[in-house]
Amino acid sequence: MRRRRRSWIVLTLPLLLLTACSPPDEPVVALAVRDGQPVGVLVPCGGSFGQLGVHVNHDDQEDQANPPLITWDVHGEPTSEVVEATLLGQPPEGWEVADTVDLTAAESGIDVDVEPLTELRPGVTYTVSGSAGRDSIPVDFTLADLPRIGPDEVLAPRGRDATTVVSRKAFLRKARGSC
């Protein structure tokens, strides 16, 4: 009997240690549509600083060796359970639009040009991401996805590589549960 108990402890201990390293990214960000405009939805997980942004996703553009990072971000202190920001619009109250700066990765010899995202165009894939106490699983979308999202729905991550339209209520329940 004692031998069986030891093997159970020996087998589960490494699994517990691996899961305790750092919290995984969670589905705490989604995309909604209000008055025809895309809106980022962020569920803060107790963080004192939050960030919500959108950038051009270059994953499907292999023809560019070093494409610029084209982005729009807002940041601030979350003061409510849900933070919403109309993408490329005015930031939520108490938040501000982040400055676009050029980043240089000198140690790798790669320069990254950063450009402000000023408009959303058809045929371009965008990624919404955010963080506040937890990093989010990003949500990829195109303008063609917007008509699929109903008034009380959001486009949310389904795993790491897919999205799904779900009720806003279901997304908020899952996001709060992951915090």
Short mmCIF file of all heavy atoms in Angstrom, two decimals, residues 2 15 20 29 49 59 62 92 123 127 149 164 175:
data_model
loop_
_atom_site.label_atom_id
_atom_site.label_comp_id
_atom_site.label_asym_id
_atom_site.label_seq_id
_atom_site.Cartn_x
_atom_site.Cartn_y
_atom_site.Cartn_z
N ARG A 2 1.88 1.27 0.79
CA ARG A 2 2.76 2.44 0.87
C ARG A 2 3.44 2.72 -0.46
O ARG A 2 3.58 3.85 -0.87
CB ARG A 2 3.79 2.21 1.96
CG ARG A 2 4.71 3.38 2.14
CD ARG A 2 5.61 3.18 3.27
NE ARG A 2 4.91 3.66 4.46
CZ ARG A 2 5.45 3.77 5.64
NH1 ARG A 2 6.68 3.38 5.83
NH2 ARG A 2 4.79 4.24 6.64
N LEU A 15 3.75 17.48 -12.28
CA LEU A 15 2.62 18.16 -12.93
C LEU A 15 2.19 19.38 -12.14
O LEU A 15 1.89 20.43 -12.72
CB LEU A 15 1.44 17.19 -13.09
CG LEU A 15 1.66 16.05 -14.07
CD1 LEU A 15 0.48 15.10 -14.04
CD2 LEU A 15 1.88 16.58 -15.46
N ALA A 20 2.17 25.43 -11.77
CA ALA A 20 2.30 26.54 -10.83
C ALA A 20 3.29 27.60 -11.29
O ALA A 20 3.47 28.59 -10.61
CB ALA A 20 2.71 26.01 -9.46
N VAL A 29 -10.16 38.98 -23.44
CA VAL A 29 -10.40 40.01 -24.43
C VAL A 29 -11.27 39.42 -25.55
O VAL A 29 -11.19 38.23 -25.85
CB VAL A 29 -9.09 40.61 -24.99
CG1 VAL A 29 -8.38 39.65 -25.91
CG2 VAL A 29 -9.32 41.92 -25.69
N PHE A 49 -2.93 48.21 -13.91
CA PHE A 49 -2.66 48.84 -15.19
C PHE A 49 -3.23 47.95 -16.27
O PHE A 49 -3.04 46.73 -16.25
CB PHE A 49 -1.14 49.01 -15.40
CG PHE A 49 -0.80 49.66 -16.72
CD1 PHE A 49 -0.88 51.03 -16.87
CD2 PHE A 49 -0.40 48.89 -17.80
CE1 PHE A 49 -0.56 51.63 -18.09
CE2 PHE A 49 -0.09 49.49 -19.02
CZ PHE A 49 -0.17 50.86 -19.15
N ASP A 59 1.04 37.62 -40.16
CA ASP A 59 1.35 36.19 -40.24
C ASP A 59 1.14 35.62 -41.64
O ASP A 59 1.83 34.69 -42.04
CB ASP A 59 0.51 35.40 -39.24
CG ASP A 59 0.98 35.63 -37.81
OD1 ASP A 59 2.06 36.23 -37.63
OD2 ASP A 59 0.26 35.21 -36.89
N GLU A 62 4.01 36.55 -46.04
CA GLU A 62 5.39 36.07 -46.04
C GLU A 62 6.29 36.80 -47.02
O GLU A 62 7.50 36.65 -46.99
CB GLU A 62 5.40 34.57 -46.35
CG GLU A 62 4.69 33.76 -45.29
CD GLU A 62 4.61 32.29 -45.66
OE1 GLU A 62 5.25 31.89 -46.65
OE2 GLU A 62 3.91 31.56 -44.94
N PRO A 92 -11.38 54.87 -23.39
CA PRO A 92 -12.31 54.93 -22.25
C PRO A 92 -11.89 56.04 -21.29
O PRO A 92 -10.72 56.44 -21.26
CB PRO A 92 -12.16 53.57 -21.59
CG PRO A 92 -11.51 52.69 -22.59
CD PRO A 92 -10.71 53.59 -23.48
N GLY A 123 -9.91 42.96 -46.18
CA GLY A 123 -8.90 42.02 -46.62
C GLY A 123 -7.66 41.95 -45.74
O GLY A 123 -6.77 41.16 -45.99
N THR A 127 -5.41 41.88 -35.15
CA THR A 127 -5.40 41.13 -33.89
C THR A 127 -5.69 42.09 -32.75
O THR A 127 -5.03 43.12 -32.62
CB THR A 127 -4.03 40.46 -33.66
OG1 THR A 127 -3.77 39.56 -34.75
CG2 THR A 127 -4.00 39.69 -32.36
N ILE A 149 -21.23 39.42 -35.88
CA ILE A 149 -21.31 39.67 -34.45
C ILE A 149 -22.58 40.45 -34.15
O ILE A 149 -22.72 41.61 -34.56
CB ILE A 149 -20.07 40.44 -33.95
CG1 ILE A 149 -18.79 39.70 -34.36
CG2 ILE A 149 -20.13 40.65 -32.44
CD1 ILE A 149 -17.52 40.50 -34.16
N THR A 164 -14.67 32.33 -32.16
CA THR A 164 -16.07 31.93 -32.25
C THR A 164 -16.94 33.09 -31.77
O THR A 164 -16.51 33.89 -30.93
CB THR A 164 -16.34 30.66 -31.41
OG1 THR A 164 -17.67 30.23 -31.64
CG2 THR A 164 -16.13 30.90 -29.93
N ALA A 175 -14.53 34.63 -18.88
CA ALA A 175 -13.38 35.51 -18.60
C ALA A 175 -13.22 35.75 -17.10
O ALA A 175 -12.13 35.66 -16.56
CB ALA A 175 -13.53 36.83 -19.34
#
